[in-house]
Amino acid sequence: MSRRSGILEFAVLGLLRESPMHGYELRKRLNTSLGVFRAFSYGTLYPCLKTLVANGWLIEEPGSTPEEALAAPLTGRRAKIVYRLTAEGKEHFEQLLSQTGPDAYEDETFAARFAFFGQTSRDVRMRVLEGRRSRLEERLEKMSASLARTRERLDDYTLELQRHGMESVEREVRWLNELIESERAGRDLKGPASGEPASRDTTSGASGVLPRPGDDLRPDTPDDTAT
């Protein structure tokens, strides 16, 4: 399994841990609530769902209301399929959620892990945040050394681009420092909807994570198929 496929499976399991959804709802949540997934093509979601079903982590259920079920034969449209997390799927997701190795704080995976901090225990959150900070501090050190070596050979625009990159990393380190300080002090971030503190057993999950500037918030065109 590729890293990107693993991230998508992780996110799908996490969203379905909150509540069952059909394919369109999942697409919308991945693309808006979790802006990090805007780069995934929609064609990757259906094979992912099929894989999770085959692994026994999801089950497919008819998701139409009785009225929709009666109307389906008349309109020629298939009833939407709802995907529900199984007990095995919940256990598998919680195993993934507890992992704190390097994969948890790499560039491609950290945003997805952070999006589900509302379902993550405090000690795991701390290890992931500290790992991410350590990785970025190493990157800053390398960037600074590289800039010092090549400064005389770079034009002003290239230098400005290098400085911009360093400033972006420095801002994230400061943000991580604030988060780590809050975790150590026993303060939880609160979601904008419920206001309830995050914990391992909450269902706020990714719904409390706002899209970042630049995320694609354009609504999808609903479809009436299973996915």
Side-chain angles (χ1 to χ4, degrees):
M1 180 193 304
S2 69
R3 177 176 292 179
R4 290 174 64 81
S5 297
I7 297 170
L8 181 58
E9 290 188 4
F10 172 82
V12 168
L13 292 172
L15 289 174
L16 292 177
R17 188 176 187 267
E18 298 176 5
S19 65
M21 299 182 202
H22 56 71
Y24 171 68
E25 290 175 307
L26 277 168
R27 281 167 41 175
K28 187 174 181 180
R29 291 291 303 277
L30 288 167
N31 196 42
T32 57
S33 299
L34 303 177
V36 66
F37 292 99
R38 65 189 184 277
F40 282 90
S41 68
Y42 292 147
T44 62
L45 178 58
Y46 183 71
C48 173
L49 290 169
K50 287 301 182 184
T51 297
L52 296 176
V53 170
N55 289 339
W57 298 330
L58 302 181
I59 57 173
E60 297 175 330
E61 300 176 337
S64 299
T65 63
E67 292 78 10
E68 290 174 331
L70 290 173
L74 300 177
T75 61
R77 296 174 177 176
R78 291 185 297 162
K80 293 179 180 178
I81 294 174
V82 167
Y83 295 91
R84 182 184 300 275
L85 199 65
T86 64
E88 293 80 6
K90 181 179 179 181
E91 181 180 355
H92 178 64
F93 177 71
E94 289 178 349
Q95 289 175 351
L96 296 175
L97 209 61
S98 67
Q99 294 177 3
T100 59
D103 282 347
Y105 44 80
E106 295 291 351
D107 289 347
E108 289 185 332
T109 53
F110 174 72
R113 287 299 307 270
F114 189 83
F116 292 97
F117 265 21
Q119 302 183 36
T120 307
S121 63
R122 187 184 303 278
D123 62 321
V124 171
R125 294 198 302 260
M126 279 290 295
R127 289 197 292 272
V128 173
L129 290 172
E130 289 174 341
R132 177 64 176 173
R133 181 178 62 180
S134 176
R135 181 58 51 86
L136 292 182
E137 287 174 341
E138 292 174 2
R139 185 178 303 171
L140 269 177
E141 185 176 346
K142 292 178 180 178
M143 293 172 73
S144 179
S146 176
L147 185 60
R149 290 194 306 269
T150 60
R151 183 184 300 273
E152 300 301 325
R153 302 195 300 272
L154 300 177
D155 61 44
D156 290 343
Y157 291 101
T158 304
L159 280 172
E160 191 61 31
L161 184 62
Q162 295 285 339
R163 293 192 192 99
H164 174 70
M166 290 184 64
E167 289 172 358
S168 297
V169 177
E170 288 169 348
R171 282 196 299 272
E172 185 172 348
V173 170
R174 289 195 295 270
W175 173 68
L176 290 167
N177 285 336
E178 293 171 359
L179 290 172
I180 291 169
E181 181 180 350
S182 293
E183 293 288 348
R184 286 176 176 165
R187 299 191 299 269
D188 290 308
L189 298 182
K190 294 183 178 181
S194 65
E196 292 296 326
S199 71
R200 178 78 181 232
D201 297 324
T202 62
T203 56
S204 60
S207 59
V209 178
L210 299 177
R212 298 163 306 187
D215 283 343
D216 186 359
L217 300 181
R218 293 171 297 177
D220 300 317
T221 302
D223 58 36
D224 294 286
T225 62
T227 59

